[in-house]
Structures are given as C-alpha cells and as structure tokens.
Amino acid sequence: MDIKKIIIVGGGTAGWLAANHIGKTFEGNDTVSITLIESPDIPTIGVGEGTVPAIRKSLKQFGISESEFITSCDVTFKQSIKFVNWMDKHRHGVGNSYHHLFDMPSPLGDDLTEYWLRERGDPYADGAYGRFYCDTVSPQHAVCESYKAPKQITHAEYEGSLGYAYHLNAAKFALLLANNAKSRFNVRHISANVLDVNLNDSGHIESLNTDSHGTLYADFYIDSSGFEALLIDKALKVPFVDKSNELFVDRAIAVQVPIADDVPIPPFTIATAHQAGWIWDIALINRRGVGFVYSSKYMDDQTALKKLEHYLGEDLAQYQHRLLLMKVGYRKHFFHKNCLSLGLAQGFLEPLEATSILLTDFAAGYLASRFPTNVDELGLISEQFNKVMTYAWERVVEFVKLHYCISDRSDSPFWIDNRDPSTIPKELAKRLTLWQTHIPVREDFFSKFEVFDLDNYLYVLYGMAYGTSLGSNHSTDKLQWKAHSDRIRQVGGTLANDLPEHRVLLEKINRFGLQKH
C-alpha cells in the first residue's frame, strides 16, 4: 500500500520543521497530503531559543527569506557559546571563560593546536604569555568579544564573513514555519485534541480520534507532541532510554526579562556554570531569555530560585517564570511501525549546545530524504533510521558530558561526581584517554552522523585547558605556526574593526532587509 496521507501530531518548532522538510520533499506532488494537528489547549515549551549553523541550510531550502525570518522572530546572531566559570576559580580565576566558536579553527593554514599546547601560558595570570585557545586559532574570538555582527548589511541572505546561527523567539519561529508550510507546501492545519489512538491488528496506528474533527486516518504518523509523546509512548509503548546516570541536570527555571534599547547585544549565548548546573542567557532585540538549569539531586527548587534571582540581580516575583522538569534520555526506537517521533517526543537533553533543535532538524531532514513511499518499506527504512539516530543521540550525550567530566571544579559534589568514571560514557572515556597523549584528528570522528565533530571538540577540550601531554620533539614549523597565529590575530582585529556592531546591523536589517541572491 502506498503512503499517501501523513499526519503530524503537535505543532511547535518540531512539528512545523517536519512539515516544512516533508512538504519540500513532496512539493508539487498532489497525491500526497500532509496534515498537522495542533492542540489549542497545550502550550509549546518554547525555550529552545538557540540554534546551530545548520539551521541556515534548512531555512534557505524551505524558501524562507532571512530578512523576513530576522524581522518576524526577534532574531539576533549567534556566533558562539561563551562558557563562564566552567573551571576552578582558584586555578583559572573568577569569571574564567572560553568560546565554542562557529568558525572552524586554524582557517588560514595548518592546525595550530600543537603550537598552542607547546606555547600556552595561563591567560589569567598577570603578565603571562598565554593566550586563549580560541583567540589563537580563530579571528572570530575577537569579533565576538567586540560584540560585532558576523556579516555586513551588503552580504546576501544566509551569507557572511564568519559562521553563524541565530537566537530567536521560539513561539514566533514556530508561527513563521507554520505559515511557510501552509502557504508554500499546502500543509493542512487542524486545531484539535487527540483523544484516542487506534491501532490495527498488526500494531500500526490506524487512526486518531479527535475532539473537534472526528476520526482522522493516515498511512504515516509523526509524533511531535512534546513530553506527552502521545503516539510513540502512550499508544505504541516504545521504551525510554534513561541517561540521568550520565547527565545529572533534570530541571530548569525559565524566565524572560526586558532589556533596554541601547544595551549592546552579545552575538553569542552565555552559559554560566554554578554549583549544580549552569545558566543560559540569550539576548534578543528587546529581551533576554534566561534559564537556571540544575540537578534536583544536588539543589532544591527554592535554592535554585534564589540563585537565579542573585544572577539576575532582581526579584523573580515580578516576572512570569516556569519550572521545567526534564526527563533525560531518548526513545529506544525513534521510528516504530508507521510512526516516527521528533522533538521532545523523541528525547530530551539539557539545552547546553542547542541540541534539541539541532537533532530535530537533523532527524526531520533525514526522514524527508528517505521517506517511505510504501508500507512495505517501513521495516527496512525504520531499522536504518533508528541505527543512525541512536548513534547521533549517543554522540550528543557524550559531547554534553564532556563539558562536565573534564572540568576541574571541585567546589561541590555535583562537579566531583561528574568526574566519576562510572558516569562517563565508554566511548567518550576511550577518546579522552587517547587525547591525553594525542591531539584529536579528523579520523577520530569517522562518521558523518557525529553531529559534533573535531572542530567542536577542539574548542571545548582546549577551551577548558585539557591536559594533552605532547612528546619532547619540537616541530620545525614553529616560526610558520607563529606567523599563522599572528595572521589570525591581524584578521580578527580587522574584522572586529570593520564589521558593524551587532545591534546596529540588526536595526538596519529590520529597516532595509538584506541583499537577495
């Protein structure tokens, strides 16, 4: 039987990303219909306000204008994540920090990692020679610290001088995606609550009973119903793989606070560590989205509230805030029978590296590129999809854990316990052992489904001063390396001087728009 009718349960970013990816695949094919059912009573979580550079490719593919996206979703540019206080304050100073940049390291010649390891001092010590790893290997560090934009107003849409992603208003982003899917790809939008899920004799989903549109039938279903996981969990009973033994953070308090029109906007996410987790701080045009992320095993809710108030320097009672409970892990099978899960229905990890939108966009794009055309294909395609996505999720778990287990903070049981070998994934432990004596190389990341690969690991490992011990042999390329590093510093200085201030560029885009291709 051919697959002609597709139903997506749940809106929000996940559901509408799926609608656009699949809609693009079947654009102009009138034999396939796509319907998205969205509950009028269940608000979206809406705290996923950070993205990674891959989202630019998807938005461009959907036919969405970058100018429209920026103006309609309160967008600011994101060139990195700045990690603050993730290392011991006595060894590295109060306010120690590093950037996980979006531009590749060492862009103007050979890899400078060995040079930095041999020549580094302590960047926090008075009069020390040392330079930050990201400052040594990338001109983007200087641009970020100068609060400059990654592009000029004359750049074409989705192009720039440096790699970038976005910060955005999640609710407005979902609305933009919805309007695009409906107008461009003819996706049908239904407002209704799903009351029951009906299975056939083979265990496949046959139909959905709704409160306002009766019984709806489809050949294929996508579950993007959030933590409720109405189809994949409640109907199909697919087990959940718990990762709380590796990643301890399981709660967040999210709040939005206004910012003045003349306050400089950082072109990066700020992730500030505390005794039992960390704080995200994302600046949009007129407000900040702030989230206090913590482990309930190491900090109670009242203490977390007080800590967030201390961070903000304000009484939290004046703002509407939400307590979010996180079930850390992912589905044992993401694609089961004739149902595929996306977004929070697929799994959830703390939003340390904007992994939620990243994995959703990746999974939806992968599904769209290999969408089953007949029910006879479901078994083979689902097996491959589950294999790929399990690999991707495991690698993301490892990358998030990396930030904790290589930290030298010892001021609380949370940080000490994160270094317990029993909590470190085996594959990550193997890599870290190898990297004690060898600098990571591209071949260590052999799969294109790594999600985070060499460049990402280099920025985090050496941003946190990971102690790779090199042999005593000195390379003959030292002078060449120094020239390369000096050139990067010069380029960074030039870009920091020439690129517009972040807020200034955003105001121009909102007035005039960017250049079309």
Side-chain angles (χ1 to χ4, degrees):
M1 183 180 72
D2 291 339
I3 293 176
K4 297 296 186 183
K5 292 184 178 180
I6 303 164
I7 287 181
I8 302 169
V9 177
T13 301
W16 288 112
L17 272 175
N20 278 276
H21 273 294
I22 298 169
K24 177 64 179 177
T25 294
F26 292 107
E27 188 175 14
N29 186 342
D30 296 334
T31 65
V32 176
S33 67
I34 305 168
T35 299
L36 187 144
I37 305 172
E38 190 167 23
S39 170
D41 305 321
I42 303 175
T44 58
I45 297 296
V47 297
E49 297 187 323
T51 60
V52 298
I55 196 68
R56 287 157 58 194
K57 180 181 178 181
S58 294
L59 294 175
K60 187 176 181 180
Q61 179 183 344
F62 299 159
I64 293 175
S65 158
E66 187 178 33
S67 298
E68 179 187 1
F69 165 57
I70 290 171
T71 56
S72 64
C73 299
D74 304 335
V75 166
T76 56
F77 290 108
K78 175 184 175 183
Q79 298 184 66
S80 86
I81 302 170
K82 184 174 184 177
F83 291 92
V84 180
N85 289 335
W86 283 76
M87 296 179 287
D88 185 275
K89 65 181 179 181
H90 300 293
R91 295 183 61 190
H92 307 283
V94 176
N96 61 77
S97 66
Y98 72 94
H99 282 271
H100 175 189
L101 300 170
F102 286 169
D103 248 21
M104 64 179 290
S106 308
L108 305 177
D110 293 335
D111 180 23
L112 288 170
T113 302
E114 182 178 344
Y115 171 70
W116 180 82
L117 284 168
R118 294 195 184 281
E119 301 297 322
R120 66 179 173 175
D122 184 353
Y124 298 98
D126 292 337
Y129 168 81
R131 287 172 59 191
F132 295 101
Y133 176 77
C134 51
D135 182 35
T136 301
V137 303
S138 176
Q140 193 167 40
H141 177 268
V143 174
C144 285
E145 286 296 301
S146 300
Y147 280 42
K148 294 299 185 73
K151 62 191 296 177
Q152 303 273 7
I153 190 67
T154 53
H155 271 111
E157 293 192 326
Y158 299 114
E159 295 178 2
S161 300
L162 297 161
Y164 66 89
Y166 312 99
H167 297 131
L168 50 84
N169 181 312
K172 291 183 177 181
F173 183 48
L175 182 61
L176 176 71
L177 291 172
N179 291 336
N180 193 72
K182 289 185 286 186
S183 63
R184 192 180 298 271
F185 304 128
N186 200 31
V187 174
R188 182 189 179 199
H189 184 201
I190 291 176
S191 178
N193 288 299
V194 174
L195 304 177
D196 293 297
V197 180
N198 306 309
L199 306 182
N200 62 22
D201 293 340
S202 63
H204 289 65
I205 298 176
E206 183 174 89
S207 61
L208 307 174
N209 296 337
T210 69
D211 60 352
S212 58
H213 285 74
T215 301
L216 300 175
Y217 294 84
D219 306 310
F220 191 85
Y221 297 83
I222 295 175
D223 186 351
S224 59
S225 60
F227 288 129
E228 288 293 311
L230 293 172
L231 309 186
I232 201 74
D233 178 26
K234 291 183 170 56
L236 296 176
K237 311 297 184 185
V238 174
F240 190 81
V241 179
D242 191 306
K243 286 293 179 179
S244 59
N245 182 58
E246 298 169 11
L247 299 176
F248 305 157
V249 164
D250 61 357
R251 297 200 176 194
I253 303 171
V255 64
Q256 297 175 0
V257 297
I259 56 176
D261 293 342
D262 58 349
V263 171
I265 300 173
F268 46 81
T269 299
I270 303 172
T272 304
H274 60 76
Q275 287 182 326
W278 59 282
I279 303 165
W280 80 69
D281 197 334
I282 291 175
L284 302 184
I285 285 285
N286 53 11
R287 68 163 172 83
R288 290 158 58 201
V290 181
F292 191 90
V293 188
Y294 61 104
S295 169
S296 60
K297 179 181 177 181
Y298 299 91
M299 183 177 288
D300 62 66
D301 297 341
Q302 286 303 312
T303 301
L305 279 168
K306 291 179 181 178
K307 294 279 189 182
L308 178 56
E309 286 185 332
H310 177 74
Y311 176 84
L312 293 172
E314 298 182 75
D315 183 358
L316 205 59
Q318 63 184 306
Y319 302 117
Q320 184 177 6
H321 58 275
R322 291 183 291 165
L323 175 63
L324 305 173
L325 307 182
M326 307 177 191
K327 190 176 180 181
V328 181
Y330 56 81
R331 293 291 153 194
K332 185 176 182 180
H333 306 297
F334 310 101
F335 190 154
H336 185 63
K337 302 293 186 178
N338 62 338
C339 176
L340 183 138
S341 58
L342 280 180
L344 300 178
Q346 186 178 92
F348 185 78
L349 307 176
E350 60 190 90
L352 185 62
E353 290 275 359
T355 56
S356 182
I357 291 180
L358 168 63
L359 283 166
T360 299
D361 187 42
F362 174 73
Y366 179 43
L367 170 67
S369 69
R370 189 61 65 86
F371 201 91
T373 57
N374 190 284
V375 294
D376 294 335
E377 300 174 358
L378 289 175
L380 182 62
I381 293 179
S382 65
E383 180 181 358
Q384 182 65 17
F385 185 92
N386 288 329
K387 181 179 179 181
V388 168
M389 290 307 303
T390 299
Y391 185 90
W393 271 89
E394 282 293 330
R395 301 295 82 77
V396 170
V397 169
E398 291 167 8
F399 188 62
V400 173
K401 180 66 173 182
L402 175 74
H403 298 67
Y404 295 104
C405 70
I406 65 171
S407 171
D408 59 358
R409 283 188 62 152
S410 298
D411 56 311
S412 70
F414 173 84
W415 292 97
I416 295 170
D417 291 351
N418 259 297
R419 292 193 290 273
D420 184 336
S422 67
T423 73
I424 301 175
K426 291 182 180 179
E427 185 61 31
L428 176 59
K430 290 179 183 178
R431 288 179 170 180
L432 288 174
T433 300
L434 173 64
W435 297 334
Q436 287 175 2
T437 53
H438 294 81
I439 297 170
V441 294
R442 189 71 60 186
E443 288 74 16
D444 293 342
F445 305 87
F446 56 86
S447 171
K448 64 180 179 181
F449 302 119
E450 294 284 348
V451 183
F452 295 103
D453 60 12
L454 175 63
D455 297 346
N456 310 109
Y457 271 83
L458 287 174
Y459 280 126
V460 175
L461 283 167
Y462 300 120
M464 298 184 72
Y466 188 70
T468 302
S469 178
L470 301 177
S472 59
N473 293 333
H474 289 272
S475 172
T476 57
D477 293 332
K478 183 175 179 178
L479 291 178
Q480 182 177 332
W481 276 339
K482 185 179 186 304
H484 179 191
S485 178
D486 290 344
R487 175 63 177 154
I488 284 176
R489 174 171 281 188
Q490 293 169 4
V491 171
T494 299
L495 287 171
N497 183 66
D498 293 347
L499 287 167
E501 291 183 9
H502 190 197
R503 181 181 282 279
V504 170
L505 176 63
L506 292 168
E507 290 172 348
K508 285 185 177 179
I509 293 172
N510 277 277
R511 288 181 63 192
F512 307 114
L514 290 162
Q515 299 290 318
K516 301 292 184 181
H517 282 277

